[in-house]
Amino acid sequence: MPRIPYLPQDIDEPRELVDDIRSRRRGKLLHLDRMLLHSPAFASGWNSLLRQVRGKLSLSPRLQEMAICAIAVLNGADYEFYHHAPEFLKAGGSEAELDALKKFTGDENELKVFTRGERAVLRLVAEMTLNVQVEDASFAAVKNELPDLQQLNELIGVIASYNMVSRYLVALQIEPEKD
């Protein structure tokens, strides 16, 4: 059970914000949205940020979803993993890679199924998630794999953003939707 009750699925105020969230979500509100709407200002900022992160970046969707799934596992955010595992598969991830991510503890050596470059990204994910501080060697390895500074910046932003998401989900005990 969530620590704060979800607002009702049929909430319609504030109208413009709720309509905007529904349009991003293909007509429905997720548990996360119904929690965020307890604070319309917070929900509005969240919706704006995540709309950009989810749909406007030049970063590879596969790398983005791989990072999000790893963050979800490291932070125990089942909701986040539930929603992003299918997106990782759609972006070209394999079931074997997804199985490896489910067991990720922060050691990129656990992830032999991934390329050297992907393991470097996962090391960055682990350091940013578990330690906050990033080792120079870890940063250099990712920069070598992503020399495009826009994509490197976006990767760091995705990791930071989804750490925010997972911490919110876990603190409030938001549950995955049951289809």
Side-chain angles (χ1 to χ4, degrees):
M1 292 294 293
R3 289 188 161 144
I4 298 173
Y6 303 118
L7 290 173
Q9 183 62 250
D10 62 355
I11 186 173
D12 60 2
E13 292 295 330
R15 169 77 64 202
E16 188 174 317
L17 175 58
V18 172
D19 288 350
D20 189 39
I21 294 170
R22 284 186 196 282
S23 75
R24 190 165 77 84
R25 300 284 197 203
R26 296 181 196 100
K28 63 181 180 175
L29 297 176
L30 301 178
H31 288 164
L32 172 58
D33 305 316
R34 293 167 49 211
M35 187 66 70
L36 287 164
L37 282 163
H38 278 288
S39 170
F42 194 65
S44 177
W46 185 288
N47 192 47
S48 179
L49 171 65
L50 273 292
R51 172 182 281 115
Q52 299 302 311
V53 171
R54 297 290 303 139
K56 306 287 184 184
L57 303 183
S58 66
L59 183 65
S60 146
R62 177 184 158 76
L63 278 183
Q64 181 170 332
E65 296 300 334
M66 180 187 74
I68 294 168
C69 287
I71 292 162
V73 170
L74 292 172
N75 287 331
D78 296 339
Y79 182 100
E80 193 169 51
F81 192 84
Y82 174 85
H83 282 280
H84 288 276
E87 296 301 318
F88 174 68
L89 295 174
K90 277 196 258 183
S94 71
E95 289 289 345
E97 291 167 331
L98 193 59
D99 288 342
L101 285 171
K102 287 178 189 175
K103 300 172 193 154
F104 187 45
T105 64
D107 180 357
E108 85 266 14
N109 292 317
E110 302 166 330
L111 304 170
K112 296 295 186 192
V113 68
F114 290 98
T115 67
R116 178 178 48 87
E118 290 166 339
R119 288 193 308 272
V121 167
L122 290 165
R123 183 172 58 241
L124 177 69
V125 167
E127 288 181 13
M128 286 183 67
T129 301
L130 301 173
N131 306 330
V132 182
Q133 300 296 318
V134 175
E135 298 293 326
D136 289 340
S138 300
F139 189 84
V142 173
K143 188 175 179 186
N144 188 53
E145 293 299 319
L146 281 174
D148 179 310
L149 297 182
Q150 178 178 341
Q151 290 181 358
L152 178 60
N153 189 298
E154 289 174 354
L155 174 64
I156 291 165
V158 165
I159 296 166
S161 296
Y162 275 88
N163 267 293
M164 173 191 75
V165 172
S166 64
R167 284 167 168 80
Y168 184 85
L169 292 165
V170 171
L172 289 170
Q173 298 179 348
I174 299 173
E175 308 148 312
E177 288 74 15
K178 305 290 187 231
D179 294 330

